[in-house]
C-alpha cells in the first residue's frame, strides 16, 4: 500500500470536496477540491522542472494558500520539503543550502532580492521567486498546468520534510521527518482532540514550523474542517473571528496578548470548543487569568520538531496548569533515572539529523529512545510535568534560539573578548535574549546599537539580544565552563518579571 501521507489526505479531500478548506481574511474561500487541485498543479509544475521523487525543495515564503499548495504538491510527488523562517538572513540561508544541497530554492520576491549576492555565487542552484497572489507570474504559470492526479508511491520511512531546529553546536540541524512521522502524529491528534468537519480552526501561526504546518494544518485536513487563515497573529483580528470559530492553536504569547485585549471576553469565546497551546511553557498566571476571563482551561500539549507531538492534556478530563498531560497513542515516554531528562519512542520520532544519520549516539539511547533534553517528572498515572531544559536553549515567542550561534558572532566583534548569551523571563515572549559581554580593554568601547547592527547583518532579528550587560569576567566553574545557571539567576528580573511564575 502507498504510504505517502498525501494518500491519506487525498481520501479526506475527496470526502470533503465541497467543504471550505481555507478562508482567507480577504474573504476568499478555497474548497477542499480546489486545494487538492492546486496541489496537483504544483506537483505538475515541479515535475516540469525535473524536481521529482527524492528531490529537495527549500522554501522561504510568506504565509499563503500557494505556499500550502506547494507543500502539498511536494508531499504528493514524494519531494522533500524544507521550510525556512522568513526572518533568516543570507548568512543563515547559505548554511542551510550547504547543509542539505537542495535541488530547488523557492523564495518570496523580497527574499529573492535580499539573497541576490548569495544566489549569484550559487549559479548551479535552481532558484525561483514566488509571490502570494493569483496575479503573480509564476503562480499564473502553475495554475495553467494540468492537475497531476498521481500520488507517488512511497514507503513509510521515506522522507517528507527536513525541519531545521536549534543545534547544540551553535548551528541548526535538519531533523529528518518521514511520512510515517507525519501521518501517525496527525491521526493521533485529530482523534484525541476530536476534530470534526464542523470545526473551524483559527490559524495565525507561521507555516515554516511543526506547530503551524503539521499540527494545525494536518488536524484540519484530516477532519475536513474550515480554517480561518491569518498571515500573522493580531489579537484584534482574532477577537473578531473567535465568534465564528471552534478551535485555536497558538504559542503562549498568543494567549497572553489576547488577555491584554479589552474586547477579549467570555462572550466572544462562546462558540469555542478548545484553545490549544504549545511550543513554549504556558505560565500558570496566563492559564489562570485565561480561565477567569473565558472559563476555558487552555489545553497545553508538548512536542518538538524531532518528535512532533509527544503528550497532551486531555480534551475530556482534567487539564492541569503547569503539566503537559499524557503521551499520545503509540508514544512511550520515560524519565532518565539519573538526569531526569524525558526520553521518547514511537512512530512520531524522527530518524536523525540530515548529514549526521550515522552519528546519533548522543541523541538516542541504546534501546532507541530519543533524548529530548527536557527535564520532567511523570506521575504515577502517566501525566508529565516539565521543569526545565538540560541545555541552554532559549525559547522566545515559541522560537528556539541557540546561545552559541549568537556568542560566536559577538565574539568576533572588535573590542569584545567574550560573551555569554542567556534567556531571561519576559512577560510577552516568555523569554528574551540577554547578552553578557566582557571587553578586551577592560572598558566598554562599543555601543549596544552598533553590536545589534553588526549582528543583524547575519542573524534573524528574533535572535538578536534585547539587552547587553558588561561584566569584568564571566563566572566559571573549576572546569572553566561559564556558569550560565548563575547568570540566569542573577539577571532573572532584567526584563521586568518580578514574581516567580
Ligand atoms: C517576532 N520578533 C521576535 C519574535 N517574533 N523576537 C523574539 N522572539 C520572537 N518569537 C521580533 C519581530 O521581528 C520584531 O522585530 C519584534 O520582535 C517585535 O515584533 P512583534 O510585532 O511583537 O512580533 P510579532 O510579529 O507579533 O511576533 C510574535 C509572535 C511570533 C509570538 C506572534 O513570534 C509567532 O508567531 N511565534 C510563533 C512561533 C512558532 O510557531 N513556533 C512553533 C515552533 S514548533 P523588529 O526588529 O522588527 O522590531 C515547536 C514544536 C512545538 O516548537 O511543540 O510546537
Amino acid at each position: 500500500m502507498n504510504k505517502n501521507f498525501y494518500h491519506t489526505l487525498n481520501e479526506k479531500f475527496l470526502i470533503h470536496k465541497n467543504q471550505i478548506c481555507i478562508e482567507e481574511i480577504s474573504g476568499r474561500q478555497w474548497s477542499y477540491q480546489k486545494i487538492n487541485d492546486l496541489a496537483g498543479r504544483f506537483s505538475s509544475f515541479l515535475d516540469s522542472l525535473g524536481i521529482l521523487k527524492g528531490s529537495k525543495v527549500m522554501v522561504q515564503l510568506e504565509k499563503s494558500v500557494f505556499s500550502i499548495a506547494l507543500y502539498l504538491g511536494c508531499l504528493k510527488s514524494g519531494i522533500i520539503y524544507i521550510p525556512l523562517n522568513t526572518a533568516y538572513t543570507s548568512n543563515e540561508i547559505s548554511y542551510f543550502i550547504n547543509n542539505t544541497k537542495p535541488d530547488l530554492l523557492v523564495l518570496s520576491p523580497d527574499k529573492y532580492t535580499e539573497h541576490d549576492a548569495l544566489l549569484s555565487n550559487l549559479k548551479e542552484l535552481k532558484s525561483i521567486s514566488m509571490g502570494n497572489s493569483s496575479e503573480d507570474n509564476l503562480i499564473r504559470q502553475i495554475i495553467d498546468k494540468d492537475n497531476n492526479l498521481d500520488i507517488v508511491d512511497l514507503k513509510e520511512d521515506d522522507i517528507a520534510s527536513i525541519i531545521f531546529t536549534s543545534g547544540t553546536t551553535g548551528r541548526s540541524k535538519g531533523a529528518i521527518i518521514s511520512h510515517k512521522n507525519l501521518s501517525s502524529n496527525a491521526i493521533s491528534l485529530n482523534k484525541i482532540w476530536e476534530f470534526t468537519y464542523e470545526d473551524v480552526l483559527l490559524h495565525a501561526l507561521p507555516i515554516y514550523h511543526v506547530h503551524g504546518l503539521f499540527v494545525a494544518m494536518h488536524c484540519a485536513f484530516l477532519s475536513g474542517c474550515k480554517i480561518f487563515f491569518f498571515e500573522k497573529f493580531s489579537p484584534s483580528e482574532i477577537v473578531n473571528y473567535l465568534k465564528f470559530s471552534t478551535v485555536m492553536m497558538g504559542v503562549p504569547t498568543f494567549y497572553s496578548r489576547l488577555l491584554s485585549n479589552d474586547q477579549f471576553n467570555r462572550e466572544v469565546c462562546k462558540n469555542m470548543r478548545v484553545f490549544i497551546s504549545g511550543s513554549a511553557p504556558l505560565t500558570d498566571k496566563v492559564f489562570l487569568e485565561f480561565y477567569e476571563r473565558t472559563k476555558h482551561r487552555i489545553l497545553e500539549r508538548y512536542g518538538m520538531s524531532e518528535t512532533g507531538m509527544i503528550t497532551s492534556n486531555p480534551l475530556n478530563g482534567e487539564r492541569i496548569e503547569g503539566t503537559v498531560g499524557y503521551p499520545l497513542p503509540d508514544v512511550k515516554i520515560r524519565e532518565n533515572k539519573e538526569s531526569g531528562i524525558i526520553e521518547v519512542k514511537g512512530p512520531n520520532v524522527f530518524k536523525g539529523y540530515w548529514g549526521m544519520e550515522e552519528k546519533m549516539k548522543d541523541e538516542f539511547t541504546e534501546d532507541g529512545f530519543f533524548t529530548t533534553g527536557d527535564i520532567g517528572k511523570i506521575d504515577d498515572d502517566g501525566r508529565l510535568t516539565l521543569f526545565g531544559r538540560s541545555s541552554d536553549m532559549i525559547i522566545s515567542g515559541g522560537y528556539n534560539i541557540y546561545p552559541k550561534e549568537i556568542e560566536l558572532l559577538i565574539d568576533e566583534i572588535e573590542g569584545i573578548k567574550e560573551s555569554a548569551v542567556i534567556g531571561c523571563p519576559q512577560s510577552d515572549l516568555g523569554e528574551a535574549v540577554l547578552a553578557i559581554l566582557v571587553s578586551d580593554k577592560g572598558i566598554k568601547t562599543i555601543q549596544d546599537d552598533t553590536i545589534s547592527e553588526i549582528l543583524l547583518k547575519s542573524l534573524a532579528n528574533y535572535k538578536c539580544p534585547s539587552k547587553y550587560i558588561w561584566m569584568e569576567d564571566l563566572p566559571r566553574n573549576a572546569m572553566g565552563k561559564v556558569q550560565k545557571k548563575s547568570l540566569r539567576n542573577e539577571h532573572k528580573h532584567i526584563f521586568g518579571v518580578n514574581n516567580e511564575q
Side-chain angles (χ1 to χ4, degrees):
M1 191 180 143
N2 187 357
K3 297 291 184 178
N4 188 328
F5 179 49
Y6 199 86
H7 185 72
T8 309
L9 293 179
N10 185 57
E11 281 175 357
K12 305 291 177 187
F13 290 174
L14 293 177
I15 295 171
H16 300 287
K17 61 179 196 266
N18 297 323
Q19 287 264 123
I20 296 161
C21 173
I22 294 180
E23 181 169 326
E24 295 176 88
I25 302 319
S26 64
R28 187 169 182 183
Q29 295 180 332
W30 300 77
S31 67
Y32 274 91
Q33 179 161 357
K34 259 192 178 170
I35 292 293
N36 203 5
D37 179 278
L38 201 55
R41 291 175 200 274
F42 269 87
S43 161
S44 289
F45 167 70
L46 292 163
D47 196 80
S48 70
L49 294 181
I51 306 296
L52 305 169
K53 176 179 172 182
S55 300
K56 294 180 238 79
V57 171
M58 178 175 277
V59 311
Q60 192 182 30
L61 289 171
E62 294 305 324
K63 183 173 176 180
S64 80
V65 169
F66 299 108
S67 37
I68 290 292
L70 171 60
Y71 163 62
L72 292 173
C74 285
L75 283 182
K76 193 171 192 182
S77 296
I79 293 164
I80 303 169
Y81 186 77
I82 314 177
L84 297 179
N85 193 319
T86 46
Y88 289 148
T89 60
S90 292
N91 170 58
E92 288 160 310
I93 299 292
S94 154
Y95 167 80
F96 298 126
I97 293 173
N98 273 327
N99 186 264
T100 50
K101 312 265 182 303
D103 301 281
L104 176 70
L105 184 61
V106 188
L107 300 168
S108 57
D110 60 327
K111 288 288 158 186
Y112 200 78
T113 312
E114 187 185 325
H115 301 322
D116 183 49
L118 170 71
L119 295 178
S120 52
N121 282 331
L122 295 169
K123 295 235 160 45
E124 67 291 357
L125 173 64
K126 222 180 266 177
S127 59
I128 49 177
S129 156
M130 186 178 110
N132 55 8
S133 99
S134 323
E135 305 309 313
D136 178 76
N137 267 340
L138 185 76
I139 300 288
R140 279 190 191 178
Q141 270 183 46
I142 295 169
I143 293 174
D144 277 347
K145 295 274 175 204
D146 291 336
N147 173 7
N148 178 10
L149 296 174
D150 288 345
I151 301 170
V152 166
D153 220 358
L154 296 179
K155 299 193 189 61
E156 62 176 19
D157 281 334
D158 282 330
I159 306 173
S161 181
I162 298 175
I163 300 287
F164 275 96
T165 168
S166 35
T168 44
T169 50
R171 280 296 200 176
S172 293
K173 293 185 280 188
I176 302 170
I177 311 297
S178 69
H179 281 256
K180 177 179 72 183
N181 295 151
L182 293 185
S183 100
S184 69
N185 222 227
I187 291 167
S188 291
L189 295 174
N190 182 61
K191 191 166 153 212
I192 63 166
W193 293 337
E194 297 182 6
F195 268 80
T196 76
Y197 71 93
E198 287 179 320
D199 273 313
V200 179
L201 173 73
L202 271 178
H203 193 302
L205 287 158
I207 53 169
Y208 38 69
H209 282 307
V210 166
H211 195 165
L213 185 62
F214 299 158
V215 182
M217 295 305 294
H218 293 172
C219 275
F221 286 162
L222 288 187
S223 65
C225 80
K226 179 164 96 174
I227 304 166
F228 278 134
F229 203 62
F230 299 85
E231 270 173 40
K232 61 176 289 190
F233 176 76
S234 146
S236 53
E237 253 176 12
I238 294 287
V239 165
N240 286 330
Y241 280 82
L242 271 173
K243 297 169 210 152
F244 313 106
S245 309
T246 63
V247 184
M248 177 168 151
M249 290 190 199
V251 293
T253 304
F254 285 17
Y255 297 113
S256 59
R257 286 189 186 178
L258 275 175
L259 286 170
S260 305
N261 185 294
D262 295 341
Q263 313 294 312
F264 180 66
N265 54 36
R266 197 170 171 182
E267 181 58 24
V268 297
C269 299
K270 70 171 194 276
N271 258 332
M272 286 296 291
R273 195 166 67 76
V274 61
F275 290 90
I276 300 172
S277 177
S279 310
L282 182 72
T283 60
D284 292 359
K285 184 169 176 279
V286 171
F287 180 96
L288 295 169
E289 275 181 34
F290 202 91
Y291 179 68
E292 277 289 291
R293 183 90 66 93
T294 65
K295 296 295 170 232
H296 277 275
R297 295 172 77 79
I298 297 174
L299 183 154
E300 188 172 7
R301 55 69 180 171
Y302 161 57
M304 55 202 296
S305 301
E306 291 88 336
T307 62
M309 299 306 98
I310 303 171
T311 67
S312 169
N313 266 282
L315 184 73
N316 307 304
E318 206 182 356
R319 298 179 207 157
I320 303 182
E321 65 268 35
T323 80
V324 290
Y326 303 99
L328 263 49
D330 299 331
V331 176
K332 284 197 197 102
I333 58 169
R334 68 184 185 197
E335 231 176 276
N336 182 293
K337 294 268 176 321
E338 280 160 34
S339 61
I341 291 176
I342 298 303
E343 299 170 345
V344 53
K345 190 174 183 177
N348 55 320
V349 177
F350 79 138
K351 281 272 165 349
Y353 295 111
W354 185 260
M356 303 170 62
E357 295 88 332
E358 309 304 318
K359 293 179 263 171
M360 298 299 296
K361 285 214 171 59
D362 290 346
E363 329 279 345
F364 284 91
T365 62
E366 272 177 13
D367 56 348
F369 278 72
F370 175 63
T371 304
T372 62
D374 292 310
I375 298 167
K377 181 111 201 76
I378 303 167
D379 286 2
D380 291 342
D381 77 339
R383 183 186 282 273
L384 175 65
T385 304
L386 296 172
F387 299 113
R389 296 183 280 274
S390 63
S391 71
D392 293 320
M393 188 179 76
I394 301 163
I395 305 184
S396 176
Y399 288 144
N400 292 359
I401 299 174
Y402 241 92
K404 192 81 193 156
E405 182 182 3
I406 308 167
E407 288 161 3
L408 288 171
L409 285 169
I410 294 181
D411 294 353
E412 278 177 17
I413 299 174
E414 209 181 310
I416 297 175
K417 184 169 145 203
E418 57 177 351
S419 60
V421 168
I422 55 172
C424 296
Q426 196 253 30
S427 57
D428 181 40
L429 296 169
E431 283 183 320
V433 179
L434 173 70
I436 295 150
L437 310 172
V438 177
S439 158
D440 59 7
K441 307 230 169 36
I443 50 158
K444 173 176 171 177
T445 55
I446 181 164
Q447 295 305 313
D448 297 352
D449 288 352
T450 315
I451 302 174
S452 292
E453 251 171 59
I454 297 172
L455 293 179
L456 286 170
K457 286 194 183 128
S458 37
L459 210 59
N461 58 1
Y462 68 88
K463 298 178 190 170
C464 190
S466 300
K467 266 198 176 146
Y468 301 91
I469 285 183
W470 294 76
M471 285 177 81
E472 278 186 16
D473 278 309
L474 296 176
R476 291 180 188 278
N477 65 14
M479 310 292 287
K481 190 170 182 296
V482 175
Q483 289 180 297
K484 290 211 168 164
K485 207 170 165 187
S486 92
L487 285 173
R488 278 195 291 267
N489 199 31
E490 190 179 336
H491 300 291
K492 64 183 174 198
H493 303 310
I494 191 145
F495 295 115
V497 175
N498 287 315
N499 48 337
E500 303 293 332
Q501 295 193 339

